[in-house]
Amino acid sequence: VTIMAMASRMMRAPRHLSVAMRARALSTAVPLHEGKAFSASVHGSRVSMTKDAKGVVTLMLRRPEKMNALDMPMFVAIADAARELIPQRDVRAVIVHGEGRAFCAGLDVKSVMSPATAAANMRKLLERPHGEVSNLAQDVGYLWRRIAAPVIAVTHGVCLGGGFQIALGADMRISAPRCKFSVMEAKWGLIPDMSATLSLPELVPKDVAMELTMTGRVFQAEEALRLGLVTTIAEDPLAEARRLADDITARSPDSTAAAKRLLHAAYASADDGRRLHLETELQRKLLGGWNQLACAAKGLGAPSMLQPGFINRNASWSEEEELDAETEIAAMLHGESAAA
């Protein structure tokens, strides 16, 4: 009735007004690029994207020989692809999946931490460009939030460490029944620092997040579903994701965008930038410490006689230091000065 009334009023409106309104409508419409592949050269061979007639984008991680493990070109390709999607108003849904046997096996430690390039890679991953909320390491999980359309991660094989954080950053996750998951950073003596600070608290209670983060244990899709870390399980998760995307595209793109913005705001407990900054600063504190290097030696398969043992916890984690740190963290999360 409302639409018919609006149409009736437009028909009765002066001709110049009707023409102006029609021109405005045309100027705000963005055409679909039917079946067009628009993987830009900056993505290299690591990521491909296609868009169907309904505006559903399929983004595929393409490093199957390494189970889509994250090397530096993969980080850059995913972030560039996400940024490319942000302004495209005809994108109605995004499906992210991995080519080959796995969604993503996490960080390619041997590549990223190669002695010749490790320092430069860490700077590129952890330094936050001026004016940006996230750094490159966080972009691959965080930038999904900035796309107004829903992002659906499709997981199979393994979804570990950084790969898990990419999936957690999506709006929904559909998993194959036998997919394996892990917040694996503990294996390397580190913490998850690719935007899990935002996504984990939105999905699971604090004690669950702590247990998974501190143990780094591997768990199956059924447990992930029970914990709330995946949305659903399907024998053919990619087909299920496409069905879900089709259901979403049958609704208004404006209400879909509004729902995404509303629910992200409703579940957020603090400013994104401050929380992302905190996980980076704590990670910097861990990197290169004796106990972190001991974990790395074991993780890289060094012979047992060459693996250093752990030493006592660093003094910076003492109770007195922790109280100061908690005050500083609380101030940071609330946007206050710690000295105030």
Side-chain angles (χ1 to χ4, degrees):
V1 175
T2 304
I3 293 173
M4 291 297 293
M6 290 173 62
S8 176
R9 284 196 292 271
M10 285 184 67
M11 290 176 66
R12 295 197 302 269
R15 176 176 170 76
H16 72 275
L17 179 58
S18 181
V19 170
M21 293 177 74
R22 286 200 300 269
R24 181 183 175 193
L26 287 171
S27 70
T28 58
V30 179
L32 293 174
H33 302 289
E34 209 168 310
K36 179 182 178 184
F38 57 101
S39 177
S41 60
V42 291
H43 305 153
S45 61
R46 295 292 192 259
V47 167
S48 67
M49 293 194 293
T50 56
K51 186 189 301 175
D52 70 15
K54 295 181 180 179
V56 177
V57 171
T58 301
L59 186 157
M60 183 164 61
L61 310 181
R62 300 188 63 186
R63 201 181 176 216
E65 71 283 2
K66 295 290 185 178
M67 300 179 76
N68 299 311
L70 296 159
D71 61 358
M72 294 306 293
M74 181 72 93
F75 274 105
V76 173
I78 296 171
D80 284 348
R83 290 185 188 280
E84 185 177 336
L85 292 172
I86 291 169
Q88 296 196 35
R89 289 170 33 232
D90 61 335
V91 170
R92 301 292 309 281
V94 179
I95 297 171
V96 182
H97 73 112
E99 182 180 9
R101 296 181 295 135
F103 176 74
C104 178
L107 185 70
D108 185 341
V109 175
K110 290 184 179 179
S111 171
V112 174
M113 301 304 290
S114 169
T117 58
N121 289 342
M122 286 300 99
R123 283 194 299 272
K124 188 171 183 179
L125 286 170
L126 299 181
E127 288 182 0
R128 188 169 285 99
H130 179 71
E132 292 291 338
V133 170
S134 52
N135 57 34
L136 177 58
Q138 295 162 337
D139 282 346
V140 298
Y142 177 71
L143 289 179
W144 306 135
R145 292 172 179 251
R146 292 180 53 190
I147 299 170
V151 178
I152 306 165
V154 175
T155 63
H156 72 289
V158 297
C159 182
L160 309 174
F164 193 20
Q165 292 182 77
I166 292 172
L168 289 175
D171 300 303
M172 289 159 264
R173 285 151 297 283
I174 300 178
S175 177
R178 288 162 291 283
C179 185
K180 296 179 180 180
F181 300 86
S182 173
V183 184
M184 191 164 272
E185 285 72 15
K187 175 181 177 180
W188 306 103
L190 298 171
I191 56 172
D193 67 335
M194 291 169 53
S195 76
T197 300
L198 304 181
S199 54
L200 268 180
E202 293 173 349
L203 297 171
V204 298
K206 182 172 70 173
D207 58 338
V208 174
M210 281 194 171
E211 187 264 328
L212 296 177
T213 301
M214 291 177 180
T215 64
R217 67 180 178 85
V218 177
F219 54 98
Q220 305 284 338
E222 285 289 348
E223 183 177 1
L225 179 64
R226 188 169 68 252
L227 293 174
L229 292 168
V230 301
T231 311
T232 191
I233 293 174
E235 284 294 338
D236 188 342
L238 186 55
E240 180 64 17
R242 288 174 174 148
R243 186 201 62 75
L244 175 58
D246 284 344
D247 286 348
I248 291 169
T249 60
R251 311 301 178 190
S252 162
D254 292 320
S255 66
T256 299
K260 178 166 178 172
R261 182 178 297 181
L262 171 67
L263 292 170
H264 274 303
Y267 279 81
S269 61
D271 178 74
D272 286 358
R274 295 188 183 98
R275 293 166 74 178
L276 294 173
H277 175 75
L278 174 61
E279 72 178 20
T280 301
E281 291 310 304
L282 291 177
Q283 191 76 300
R284 288 183 188 276
K285 200 170 181 178
L286 292 171
L287 280 165
W290 178 277
N291 289 329
Q292 191 269 312
L293 294 176
C295 288
K298 182 177 180 181
L300 290 171
S304 57
M305 71 283 294
L306 298 180
Q307 293 177 16
F310 293 133
I311 60 174
N312 286 340
R313 186 169 51 245
N314 191 290
S316 62
W317 309 113
S318 67
E319 184 176 11
E320 183 178 344
E321 289 282 343
E322 186 174 353
L323 290 173
D324 291 340
E326 285 182 356
T327 301
E328 184 177 346
I329 289 169
M332 184 185 300
L333 293 178
H334 290 89
E336 302 165 356
S337 169

